[in-house]
Every structure is written in C-alpha cells, then in structure tokens.
Amino acid sequence: MKGKYAKYDRIYKEDAVKLSYEKNSIKESAEELGIRSSLICRWRKEYDEFGEGSFLGSGYDRIHPDNKKIFDLQKKSKEAELRYEILKNASPYLHQGNLVIYQFIKENEHKYSILRMCEVLNVGYGRYHRWKKNGISEKKQHIDLLKKNIALIFFRFKKHYGRNKITDELNKLGYKICERQVAVYMNQLGLKRVARRKFKITTNSSHNNCIAPNLLNREFKVNAPSTVWVSDITYIQTSRGFLYLTIIMDLYDRKIIGWNLSFRLFTRTTTLPAFEMATANREASKGLLFHSDRGVQYANKIFVAKLDSYQCTRSMSRKGSSIDNAVAESFFNTLKRELIHRKSTLISQKLMKAEINEFIENWYNRKRIHSTLDFKTIEQFNATNGL
C-alpha cells in the first residue's frame, strides 16, 4: 500500500521558512515542526528566489514581485507571437468553413494548445471535441461538397455564371437542386456574378442609303442553320484609342461565324471582312435573311451588293430600336461584362486583339454554355442536332 504524502499550504510553508531563520539551525526548526529538514531547505531556496511569489501551486508561474511587470509584458508578447503564428498558418483555411478549420486544429495538436487554437480561430472548444469524437454528419458532408462544387464551377467559368447556369451544371453532375437554393449557397460563399453595364448607342443611321424593312421582327429562334444571320458593331477602348468589333452570328446555334477588328469604321474594314469570314465558315443558303441595324456600314451600296451576290434577303432594325437586334446586342453585353469590364486598366490594341480572339473562338464558340441552347455549349448543341 502506497503511503500518503502530507500537503502543506502556502501560509504553512512561509511560516516554516521564517521560523527556520529564527532558530539556530534548520534541523532544530524541522524537529519543532515535525517535518523533514530537506523540506525546509527546498522551501527556503524557493522563498529566497521568488519571495512572496513562492508556493502558488501547480499551474501558476513563479516570479519575484519585483520582476512581475517585466514578466507580464514578456508573457503578453509571447502570447501575441503565438496568436500571430497560429493565424498565419491557418489563414488559407479561415474562409473554408469549420470542417477545414477543425482539420487544421487536429493536425496541429502536437504543436499548439487545442484551447488556444480554438480561441484564436473563434471555434467552440466543445464543438471541436464533438467533431473529433463523432465526425461530421452525412448531411453536412453533402452540403460542404455541394458548396465546393458551386465555387469550382463559379471560378472555372471566370465568375460569369449566375445561379441558373450553375444550377444546370450541378444537375449535370447528378445533384437535384433548384436555383433558389444555389443562390442561398452562393450568397453564403460570397460569390457574386460580374455585373452588367449599360452601353452607349453607337449606330450612325443619319444617311440616305439603302434601308431595308424589319423582316426579322424579333423572331430570334430559327430551326435550321444559315436561315438568319444577325450582325452588329461595337467599340472597344484600348490604351491607344478605339478598336471596332464587327460580328456576324447565326441565330440557329448563336455561333459567331464571322468577325473582324479594325481601327476605322469603313465598310472594307468592318462588315465586308466579317461577312467574308462568315461565308468561309458556313455556307450562306439562298434566301438567307441578313439582319442588322441601320448603320452606314450595312446600308451602303458596296455591302448591299455583296449581300445581293449571295442572294441574301436584307432586314434592318427600326430606327432607334436596339431591341430589334437584341441577340447581337446581348453578345456584346456578354463580351464586355465577361472580358472588357473586368480589367482595371486599359491594355494595348495588340493584346486586346489576342484576348478577343481567345474569347470568341475558344470560349464563346466552344466552352461557354448558352441558356437559349438548353444550357449546352454550341458544339454540344450542334452534335445533338447532327450539324
């Protein structure tokens, strides 16, 4: 049977030390108190070093009262350094939810105090231990994985997709979720689609050239390729002046089949080269309806003759009605929202040309999904329809 050790409180120890100084020897005071001499020697050594800061018990720092202020300052400095170190190491995980933070704490238990990490990272000490003991619920795992996929889709498509397109992408991955719930999770994650901007009207229709009636009449859905082509021109500011982008789109699959960038708004630098590219990429069937605004680049005799040579039927928007050419206008809105307006500074004309080429040929025509095509890419839509 193990023997029991006597416990002495702080006051008793201090009195024993003081008595030992009054007696002729430590042995004499020990005999009077009925304790071992070695105990008094140890207590005297501690009292000589720490004075009234002695005998505080386990868990307390022993420090001489004269040095307490310096000790407290050093302690606070060390605590601040430790706090900074924990925050620095945990910073990549702070905005990824409690599950990731819990994992960080678990992996660093050997390095830092669990209580200190929970305090610094604003995590409940009890909640962490419950997670460590029981793990995470299946529902929480499902939600965390769903949020992760929402963020991946959002950034993969360069912050251009809103809740509708992200919902469609999630459904393709096997989720069954509505747009409203995706919007809630996007809000929780702080994901906000790049905002649209208003655009200036740039069409010059003050001329007496060949004007055509609005035969398209806002019928923007067609059932076969090369039935209706629409075209428009917009300006793009660069660090050294403006570039003018002319596009021609086939309404059937919304593909940009012809386009051209130029420094001037002449027919030979805008509509003619864009049309030549379009006819090289896709056959212009007899009776093709070619719709545009009333700009002089479309209404002059040179371009009209070009359309006539392909036996195209001309159609033009009514004066001042940009909605009559809404699909082409929508493409420019997309281009400027997803490419142009994301830049904080103007770039050179050479670099702008390269980025527009990348946007049209590799992004818009191949990878971007389109709500009007049942949330398919142009290539997927055409493959489905045998084009």
Side-chain angles (χ1 to χ4, degrees):
M1 183 176 179
K2 294 183 178 179
K4 294 184 178 179
Y5 293 95
K7 293 184 178 180
Y8 306 99
D9 62 20
R10 179 184 178 187
I11 296 175
Y12 182 88
K13 292 177 181 179
E14 286 183 356
D15 289 342
V17 170
K18 291 175 182 177
L19 179 63
S20 71
Y21 286 117
E22 295 174 358
K23 299 292 182 179
N24 295 324
S25 66
I26 294 177
K27 183 178 179 181
E28 184 180 346
S29 59
E31 288 176 352
E32 183 175 333
L33 295 171
I35 59 176
R36 298 191 310 273
S37 299
S38 60
L39 279 177
I40 297 180
C41 288
R42 189 169 75 240
W43 294 345
R44 283 180 63 164
K45 182 179 180 182
E46 182 173 340
Y47 192 82
D48 289 342
E49 183 176 357
F50 301 110
E52 293 179 2
S54 307
F55 317 130
L56 298 178
S58 61
Y60 291 90
D61 295 311
R62 291 183 299 179
I63 184 71
H64 196 282
D66 294 342
N67 300 324
K68 193 173 186 308
K69 289 185 178 181
I70 297 174
F71 175 81
D72 288 342
L73 289 173
Q74 290 174 339
K75 186 177 179 180
K76 287 182 180 180
S77 176
K78 289 179 180 179
E79 289 176 352
E81 289 176 1
L82 181 61
R83 181 182 180 85
Y84 173 77
E85 185 178 335
I86 293 172
L87 284 172
K88 180 181 178 182
N89 292 336
S91 60
Y93 316 106
L94 294 179
H95 301 290
Q96 298 185 36
N98 281 350
L99 178 61
V100 179
I101 296 176
Y102 290 159
Q103 192 62 41
F104 170 83
I105 294 173
K106 184 178 179 181
E107 292 173 357
N108 288 274
E109 285 183 359
H110 67 286
K111 191 174 181 181
Y112 309 113
S113 158
I114 296 176
L115 184 61
R116 179 54 55 87
M117 285 190 286
C118 289
E119 179 188 346
V120 171
L121 301 177
N122 197 28
V123 170
Y125 183 77
R127 291 200 305 271
Y128 167 71
H129 278 287
R130 285 194 294 273
W131 168 85
K132 187 178 178 182
K133 180 180 178 181
N134 303 320
I136 186 171
S137 69
E138 186 175 339
K139 181 178 179 182
K140 185 69 166 56
Q141 290 181 34
H142 174 79
I143 293 174
D144 286 340
L145 181 60
L146 176 60
K147 287 183 176 181
K148 182 177 180 180
N149 282 321
I150 288 173
L152 285 173
I153 292 168
F154 181 77
F155 289 108
R156 175 156 58 94
F157 291 101
K158 305 175 183 178
K159 304 181 183 180
H160 304 151
Y161 279 11
R163 65 178 187 178
N164 293 347
K165 290 184 178 180
I166 290 179
T167 301
D168 185 72
E169 290 291 319
L170 289 170
N171 289 331
K172 290 177 182 177
L173 293 175
Y175 288 98
K176 293 183 179 179
I177 189 170
C178 65
E179 289 88 350
R180 181 182 60 81
Q181 194 61 46
V182 171
V184 170
Y185 290 142
M186 289 181 69
N187 185 56
Q188 291 175 359
L189 293 167
L191 304 179
K192 190 174 182 181
R193 182 186 178 193
V194 179
R196 296 172 179 252
R197 293 192 184 185
K198 295 182 178 181
F199 302 102
K200 300 177 181 179
I201 297 175
T202 58
T203 302
N204 176 18
S205 56
S206 302
H207 55 77
N208 296 318
N209 292 339
C210 309
I211 302 300
N214 181 22
L215 299 179
L216 181 59
N217 197 28
R218 302 184 186 178
E219 294 292 334
F220 299 127
K221 189 171 180 62
V222 297
N223 298 320
S226 292
T227 301
V228 179
W229 290 357
V230 297
S231 182
D232 203 357
I233 303 173
T234 193
Y235 72 94
I236 299 170
Q237 189 172 6
T238 70
S239 59
R240 301 198 58 183
F242 290 100
L243 287 175
Y244 300 96
L245 174 62
T246 307
I247 60 102
I248 297 176
M249 175 192 293
D250 192 326
L251 277 188
Y252 171 70
D253 57 3
R254 306 302 168 94
K255 184 174 184 177
I256 306 301
I257 55 175
W259 60 278
N260 193 63
L261 273 171
S262 59
F263 302 105
R264 298 286 185 271
L265 279 170
F266 300 139
T267 301
R268 60 181 175 79
T269 61
T270 55
T271 52
L272 277 180
F275 187 80
E276 288 168 358
M277 177 188 284
T279 53
N281 288 332
R282 186 167 291 185
E283 183 179 356
S285 59
K286 184 178 179 180
L288 164 70
L289 186 68
F290 187 93
H291 183 82
S292 68
D293 59 29
R294 296 187 171 203
V296 66
Q297 295 84 5
Y298 297 102
N300 66 79
K301 293 181 179 179
I302 297 174
F303 189 70
V304 170
K306 174 64 75 172
L307 294 179
D308 289 344
S309 68
Y310 282 85
Q311 297 182 303
C312 297
T313 301
R314 296 169 60 239
S315 172
M316 287 185 170
S317 301
R318 287 163 290 194
K319 189 172 183 178
S321 180
S322 60
I323 300 177
D324 289 345
N325 201 15
V327 179
E329 293 279 354
S330 177
F331 168 77
F332 287 143
N333 288 346
T334 299
L335 170 75
K336 293 187 177 182
R337 183 180 69 250
E338 297 183 4
L339 177 65
I340 309 300
H341 291 153
R342 295 183 66 213
K343 302 184 182 303
S344 57
T345 58
L346 297 177
I347 61 175
S348 67
Q349 293 178 338
K350 182 178 180 180
L351 184 57
M352 181 61 75
K353 285 183 177 181
E355 293 201 6
I356 288 177
N357 179 77
E358 172 70 19
F359 181 88
I360 293 176
E361 298 296 348
N362 294 326
W363 168 247
Y364 191 87
N365 281 349
R366 296 182 60 191
K367 298 178 181 178
R368 190 182 192 275
I369 63 173
H370 300 262
S371 57
T372 54
L373 304 180
D374 296 325
F375 293 98
K376 295 183 178 68
T377 67
I378 292 173
E379 291 184 343
Q380 290 170 340
F381 176 79
N382 286 333
T384 302
N385 292 279
L387 183 63

